[in-house]
Amino acid sequence: MMLSDEHFAELAEAKRLLENPGLAVKITNFVGKPIEKGFELLPDNWGQRIGVATKDALMLAMKGALLTMDSRSSESHPRWHKVAAALSGAAGGALGLPGLIAELLVSTTIMCRSIADIARANGESLDEVSTRLACIEVFALGGTSRLDDAAEIGYFAVRSSLARAVSEAAEYLASQTLAEESAPALVRLIALIASRFQIQVSEKAAAQLVPIIGAAGGAVVNLLFIDHFQDMSRGHFTVRRLERHYGTEEVRRAYERI
């Protein structure tokens, strides 16, 4: 079944959001300062530290945000989540690198609630395992990045790379609870998503370390950070909504034609 003109237009907007220039470009354009200077200030062991922190943040967000959301509401409230993220970023920016690690746990949970909010507004049931995993998937959809050397980084390429891990995690969660966070299926999925999410986290951290950015800049950077992933969410859950109506293959073919 071919997409209607209205739905094709919605899919085109979703693709515009999903195949965007990336977080670093948005930060540079808005703040007016290249974030390369910030990368020079990151410590040598930053990659290892942020790898652990992003995994912890994603697991906390999955358990702390998704399990406490009301699945019945049909409206999203992105502005409230942006305000909360900006306040969190201001605190992190004021405290320097140690504050950025601690603030990551808070901002990731806020973003996860916002992502779930947008999913719910697109007809997703937060009681379903597939929806919870789709919310976590959004953190892997960072757009193109200066740090991403993958050969394929398009939306469907990322989803395909996660498909097996998502399927295994879904099978596990169908009979278990998120309390068993050490389960191999969940650990593998979180690790795969964290490997891509930490690229965006590193760009955010570098921007907040640029001299003269400080607390106010931290708030702005976090605002751009959550806005970026809200865009990813809108695109992702528009595609999923259309897939439920037309089927995955038809939507993918239409997406590739745009």
Side-chain angles (χ1 to χ4, degrees), residues 61-132:
M62 193 174 190
K63 295 170 62 178
L66 296 179
L67 295 184
T68 59
M69 297 280 290
D70 180 3
S71 64
R72 292 168 295 180
S73 177
S74 60
E75 296 182 1
S76 62
H77 306 280
R79 291 183 181 178
W80 289 109
H81 292 108
K82 284 182 178 179
V83 170
L87 293 174
S88 173
L95 296 174
L97 194 59
L100 293 177
I101 295 292
E103 183 267 332
L104 177 62
L105 296 172
V106 177
S107 62
T108 302
T109 299
I110 292 170
M111 284 197 299
C112 192
R113 290 188 69 86
S114 183
I115 289 167
D117 204 24
I118 292 169
R120 188 173 53 188
N122 276 276
E124 302 270 359
S125 172
L126 300 185
D127 293 330
E128 294 183 6
V129 168
S130 62
T131 300
R132 295 177 187 175

Side-chain angles (χ1 to χ4, degrees), residues 4 9 20 23 68-69 82 87 107 126 137 145 148 154-155 157 162 164 192 205-206 216 219 242:
S4 68
N20 72 82
L23 180 63
T68 59
M69 297 280 290
K82 284 182 178 179
L87 293 174
S107 62
L126 300 185
E137 268 188 298
S145 166
D148 196 336
Y155 169 68
L162 296 175
R164 181 176 178 181
L192 285 173
L242 295 175

Side-chain angles (χ1 to χ4, degrees), residues 136-147:
I136 297 298
E137 268 188 298
V138 170
F139 290 101
L141 306 175
T144 55
S145 166
R146 64 181 293 282
L147 297 180

Side-chain angles (χ1 to χ4, degrees), residues 21-34 224:
L23 180 63
V25 173
K26 292 180 179 180
I27 292 173
T28 299
N29 289 343
F30 192 89
V31 178
K33 295 177 181 292
L224 293 172

